[in-house]
Amino acid sequence: MLELGAGADILRAIGWLYIGFAAALLWACLWFPRRWWQKIVWAVVVLLVFLLPMYWRQAEKSRIVDARKARYEKGKALFDERCKTAGAKIYKTAEDVEGVLLQEVWPRASDSDRHNPHWPNAGLPRQYGAESYIQSFIWWEHQQHPPQRGYLNTKDRGTHDWHKSLPGYAFVDVKESDGFVYRYRLVREVPPELKSMSRERLSGATARYAISFRGITANPADRDQWVAGMTVLITDTKNNEVIAEKTWYSFEPGFGSKSGWRSPWLFAITCPELTEGDSARYATRFFVDQVLKPKQEN
């Protein structure tokens, strides 16, 4: 049983007083009247006065529970239906890719975003944004149980019998708000207080393969059920061909409830599932590197 401290003790005491008072009145109704029909009438009155409100409260609670259950089942059914179209479609792959181009940077989520049923990026609600999104493409992946996806880090820890280290890309080009493209690279062996990436404005050609994302807006009524979708696209800029795409859907089963200081979208379930290693935080990187294989000498 969940204990709530002194408040729970007070509520229990009030409940027992209520029951005791009702029992005392019922005893008085059966003791003091002289005629049996009077005893019955007064006993019925007391029972109605005390039991009807309890019945009404319980009926209201049941109605609320049934309504919540019905809404959950409707939302979950919608989510399950959307999940039938989720997953990756890979038309081509590329080997020994040195770098990628980010057409846009995944924005850092705010607290208000995570409480908003219409948050554009709710399809991947736990994915890190801003600088962490850029870094994810050049960081190393450390797999403790290959081939399960692992965790990202700035350093190569080598490959041993119990884990495997895989490089990220040598660089990532980013289209930024000033209209220029900047190239980011991993800076090795830097003190923790310094930045682990270098940044320089690019004057030459950008990386061939571009990464973009778009929220799914074809079914706006989905958001009323706290269901959201996101698609990531990989494009070969040489011929403007989409060579792979992946779609995720998320469902917040609490429908935005803030009870217990919930941050709603962080409680969402996602399909395909993102349960291995850092896959929830870096879903885009973990999809991209299955299509564009990073050059191992990176």
Side-chain angles (χ1 to χ4, degrees):
M1 180 177 179
L2 180 64
E3 291 293 341
L4 301 176
D9 293 334
I10 293 172
L11 288 175
R12 275 195 292 268
I14 292 173
W16 282 113
L17 285 173
Y18 184 86
I19 293 172
F21 184 59
L25 282 179
L26 185 60
W27 175 84
C29 291
L30 296 173
W31 181 261
F32 289 108
R34 295 182 178 180
R35 301 180 184 277
W36 65 268
W37 64 267
Q38 291 176 327
K39 295 177 185 289
I40 294 175
V41 169
W42 283 110
V44 169
V45 170
V46 169
L47 289 174
L48 288 175
V49 168
F50 282 91
L51 293 183
L52 272 181
M54 295 174 64
Y55 169 79
W56 287 330
R57 283 195 295 270
Q58 187 59 41
E60 179 63 14
K61 287 181 181 179
S62 297
R63 186 194 66 78
I64 292 173
V65 169
D66 290 343
R68 288 176 177 172
K69 181 181 179 182
R71 187 181 183 189
Y72 171 79
E73 290 176 347
K74 181 179 179 181
K76 184 62 165 57
L78 175 63
F79 173 66
D80 291 341
E81 184 64 27
R82 296 288 179 257
C83 286
K84 293 177 181 178
T85 61
K89 297 178 182 178
I90 300 175
Y91 312 111
K92 292 181 181 179
T93 61
E95 302 288 336
D96 295 328
V97 177
E98 290 194 85
V100 295
L101 169 64
L102 302 184
Q103 299 276 25
E104 53 205 323
V105 175
W106 191 274
R108 180 180 288 111
S110 66
D111 187 60
S112 61
D113 287 333
R114 296 190 177 106
H115 287 80
N116 180 8
H118 300 285
W119 178 28
N121 295 333
L124 285 173
R126 296 181 188 84
Q127 178 159 269
Y128 285 178
E131 187 176 79
S132 295
Y133 180 73
I134 299 172
Q135 288 174 330
S136 70
F137 291 91
I138 55 178
W139 278 1
W140 287 77
E141 179 188 357
H142 309 293
Q143 298 179 348
Q144 292 179 319
H145 304 286
Q148 292 184 17
R149 301 311 303 254
Y151 298 88
L152 299 185
N153 193 277
T154 58
K155 296 181 180 179
D156 174 15
R157 293 178 177 173
T159 297
H160 306 278
D161 292 340
W162 63 90
H163 75 259
K164 183 178 182 181
S165 289
L166 299 172
Y169 299 101
F171 62 86
V172 57
D173 296 337
V174 181
K175 285 188 176 181
E176 300 193 7
S177 57
D178 60 3
F180 294 104
V181 176
Y182 292 84
R183 176 160 292 179
Y184 291 79
R185 292 181 183 271
L186 182 65
V187 178
R188 305 177 190 272
E189 305 300 331
V190 296
E193 65 272 10
L194 299 179
K195 292 185 176 180
S196 61
M197 292 191 300
S198 66
R199 176 179 179 266
E200 61 179 351
R201 198 168 86 181
L202 191 63
S203 56
T206 64
R208 173 176 176 175
Y209 299 103
I211 316 302
S212 60
F213 55 87
R214 64 188 183 202
I216 297 175
T217 58
N219 304 291
D222 287 9
R223 294 308 186 101
D224 295 335
Q225 302 299 324
W226 285 77
V227 174
M230 175 63 63
T231 297
V232 170
L233 303 168
I234 303 175
T235 304
D236 183 347
T237 61
K238 188 175 181 180
N239 51 23
N240 201 31
E241 176 188 12
V242 174
I243 64 170
E245 58 186 287
K246 187 170 184 178
T247 296
W248 293 265
Y249 282 96
S250 290
F251 168 51
E252 204 292 88
F255 298 98
S257 171
K258 300 177 183 179
S259 61
W261 300 96
R262 290 176 86 251
S263 187
W265 280 115
L266 292 184
F267 286 82
I269 56 177
T270 302
C271 68
E273 291 186 344
L274 298 171
T275 56
E276 295 183 2
D278 268 338
S279 58
R281 292 186 283 265
Y282 303 114
T284 299
R285 150 70 195 265
F286 281 8
F287 164 57
V288 171
D289 67 15
Q290 298 303 295
V291 180
L292 309 175
K293 313 291 185 177
K295 191 173 182 179
Q296 294 302 300
E297 288 77 13
N298 289 344

